[in-house]
Amino acid sequence: MSISENKVWVLIPAAGIGSRMRSEIPKQYLSVCGATILEHTLRCFTDLSELAGIIVVVNHEDTYWQSLLQESQLFSNGKLKIRYTYGGSDRAETVQNGLHYLLNDIGLSDDQWVMVHDAARPCVRLDDLLALLAVRDDCDLDGAILGYRVKDTMKRSNADASKIGFTESRENLWHALTPQMFRLKELFDSLVEAKLAKHVVTDEASAMEFLGKKVGLVEGASDNIKLTSPSDLRLIEFLLKAR
Ligand SMILES: Nc1ccn([C@@H]2O[C@H](COP(=O)(O)OP(=O)(O)OP(=O)(O)O)[C@@H](O)[C@H]2O)c(=O)n1
Ligand SMILES: C[C@](O)(CO)[C@H](O)COP(=O)(O)O
């Protein structure tokens, strides 16, 4: 295995429009604690000694990324190897486009480890990233994701959410988080296959599971939350201030 293969590339899907956030600008460009959500997310990886590079996958109509690239303190010392390309109509297509770029434009090897992490999750902890990286040494797994066990009782509603349908067993039930870490070509091929089969993929693990791959679960902090709706922003601001 080449040294670069043992390092990790990070792929940040950042091409969403944040419709549930109902904000005037895409939520990844909202500012808290003096920086955009996307900058806070990127900053989570700057202390990762095994980081080979980051690729950010932005929307074709994104009018914010170029000025962030020019002006952000994050990139001013040139230490952070940053690339970017363009996303697709859903998260899975965005990730697939980013992986295609890593394979064909940067020419990374098929076995390169890649961590896919939502631009909208700015609170992931370095300890959790290191715990996920450790899975590279587990030959029984094809990759792994960060997650945490469900703590609340889980209800499935009826179709119009007017009342409880029934209570789901929460035994062995987990919240899936990101990063989700897999080998480059295997993940790319799984996303392609899942798309061809019209299999719904809301995270990378769904595609790997669809192909029968073995995906590990690494317990991570439950404050690795995703900015999805307005109330999340205040919680993320509180969490970032507490760091
Ligand atoms: N076509 C898409 C859709 C989503 N994402 C990214 O996937 C992550 C998680 O998606 P989500 O929280 O759903 O973001 P949005 O799709 O922007 O939100 P919404 O569903 O409310 O529109 C985000 O970082 C988002 O930018 C993406 O890169 N490309
Ligand atoms: C990938 C993810 O963050 C894992 O929980 C989640 O599936 C993203 O869902 P979204 O609807 O695209 O935000």
Side-chain angles (χ1 to χ4, degrees):
M1 175 190 305
S2 72
I3 293 174
S4 64
E5 278 169 11
N6 201 35
K7 286 189 172 281
V8 65
W9 271 80
V10 172
L11 187 157
I12 305 285
I17 59 169
S19 54
R20 288 171 285 180
M21 192 68 202
R22 300 190 303 280
S23 53
E24 287 179 16
I25 67 173
K27 61 186 181 184
Q28 56 271 36
Y29 295 108
L30 292 172
S31 281
V32 287
C33 304
T36 61
I37 293 291
L38 178 51
E39 287 170 286
H40 285 294
T41 299
L42 291 170
R43 197 168 283 135
C44 295
F45 296 90
T46 51
D47 292 337
L48 199 59
S49 60
E50 299 188 68
L51 178 69
I54 298 181
I55 180 168
V56 180
V57 194
V58 298
N59 194 297
H60 281 279
E61 281 144 40
D62 185 312
T63 56
Y64 304 90
W65 170 245
Q66 288 301 334
S67 45
L68 190 149
L69 207 49
Q70 302 304 324
E71 294 155 20
S72 173
Q73 294 300 313
L74 260 179
F75 313 122
S76 54
N77 61 14
K79 265 178 57 181
L80 196 56
K81 185 191 282 186
I82 196 93
R83 298 286 190 281
Y84 71 93
T85 191
Y86 294 100
S89 58
D90 61 18
R91 188 182 180 280
E93 190 177 350
T94 290
V95 172
Q96 188 178 317
N97 288 359
L99 297 170
H100 185 273
Y101 186 91
L102 293 177
L103 280 165
N104 298 286
D105 296 74
I106 300 186
L108 298 182
S109 74
D110 289 0
D111 286 346
Q112 174 65 56
W113 284 104
V114 180
M115 274 189 185
V116 182
H117 183 65
D118 294 330
R121 288 186 191 269
C123 300
V124 65
R125 296 171 184 270
L126 181 60
D127 287 352
D128 289 352
L129 298 179
L130 296 173
L132 185 61
L133 271 177
V135 166
R136 292 173 302 178
D137 302 327
D138 186 335
C139 50
D140 289 335
L141 293 174
D142 299 307
I145 72 170
L146 285 184
Y148 67 93
R149 292 178 182 276
V150 163
K151 302 168 190 169
D152 303 306
T153 296
M154 305 305 284
K155 304 290 185 184
R156 187 167 299 277
S157 74
N158 62 356
D160 64 3
S162 61
K163 60 179 183 295
I164 293 171
F166 60 91
T167 297
E168 291 280 3
S169 162
R170 63 182 176 182
E171 190 182 0
N172 300 324
L173 203 55
W174 289 59
H175 293 273
L177 303 172
T178 69
Q180 305 201 358
M181 184 182 75
F182 301 102
R183 290 189 187 275
L184 175 51
K185 186 68 167 47
E186 203 163 45
L187 178 55
F188 177 79
D189 290 346
S190 300
L191 287 167
V192 169
E193 289 296 316
K195 188 174 185 177
L196 286 172
K198 298 190 180 351
H199 181 72
V200 176
V201 168
T202 55
D203 69 347
E204 288 66 56
S206 313
M208 295 291 285
E209 296 157 46
F210 179 66
L211 274 292
K213 303 295 182 185
K214 291 166 284 186
V215 182
L217 278 161
V218 174
E219 185 101 32
S222 57
D223 65 1
N224 173 12
I225 69 168
K226 180 164 65 74
L227 176 62
T228 304
S229 51
S231 61
D232 299 326
L233 193 61
R234 287 188 293 281
L235 179 52
I236 284 174
E237 186 168 19
F238 173 81
L239 288 168
L240 290 172
K241 280 182 178 162
R243 290 284 161 95

